[in-house]
Amino acid sequence: MMCSLLRTRGNICYNLYMTDCIFCKIISGEIKSQIIYEDDYCVAFKDLNPQAPTHILIVPKKHIENIATASEDDALILGKLQLAAAKIAKENNIKDFRLVANNGKGAGQSVMHLHYHLMAGRRFLWPAG
Ligand code: 5GP
Ligand code: ZN
């Protein structure tokens, strides 16, 4: 896997960028997506294949594979992702939502760039399927 510096729209962001990662390409603008939120640490965009009326992906600008491979150095980023979820929900008048991170292929992770699914607008079952 090749990596290089990531140059985001507007700001220059010196983060790890994987050239064969679809989310790195969305973050860099190489692949077009409906970006609905961006800060120094993360971007959020609508899921291509929504599983709820609101289904937003919140993704760190730094390529981290998943929660299991995050390091102590990533603690700020991990916190910022959850705070971004709260901001996005508030901005969209969403009170109740589900925030999910699939960790590893066996748990349903298909894109190996850490992301939270923010889902709302329907009833969610528990335990999760
Ligand atoms: P995972 O299965 O890894 O937890 O979630 C990956 C999510 O990324 C899936 O819900 C899938 O629909 C979404 N996804 C995959 N490729 C793209 C893409 O190119 N654009 C967008 N917006 N979402 C994508
Ligand atoms: Zn990536």
Side-chain angles (χ1 to χ4, degrees), residues 35-48:
I35 306 280
I36 58 141
Y37 174 87
E38 178 170 9
D39 63 27
D40 287 346
Y41 300 92
C42 58
V43 299
F45 48 88
K46 293 192 175 177
D47 196 291
L48 196 61

Side-chain angles (χ1 to χ4, degrees), residues 16-18 21-25 27 60-64 112-113:
L16 196 58
Y17 171 94
M18 294 296 178
C21 170
I22 194 138
F23 286 176
C24 281
K25 287 183 175 160
I27 293 160
K61 287 182 172 175
K62 179 182 177 186
H63 181 97
I64 302 166
M112 292 301 155
H113 180 134

Side-chain angles (χ1 to χ4, degrees), residues 35-99:
I35 306 280
I36 58 141
Y37 174 87
E38 178 170 9
D39 63 27
D40 287 346
Y41 300 92
C42 58
V43 299
F45 48 88
K46 293 192 175 177
D47 196 291
L48 196 61
N49 183 23
Q51 301 300 313
T54 298
H55 188 168
I56 294 163
L57 299 173
I58 307 167
V59 177
K61 287 182 172 175
K62 179 182 177 186
H63 181 97
I64 302 166
E65 196 172 307
N66 54 31
I67 289 174
T69 63
S71 71
E72 287 291 330
D73 290 346
D74 298 323
L76 179 62
I77 295 172
L78 296 178
K80 290 286 184 182
L81 288 170
Q82 295 188 40
L83 291 171
K87 278 185 204 162
I88 292 163
K90 197 171 179 190
E91 280 168 15
N92 290 278
N93 295 314
I94 297 168
K95 190 167 73 70
D96 301 319
F97 57 88
R98 185 162 283 184
L99 195 62

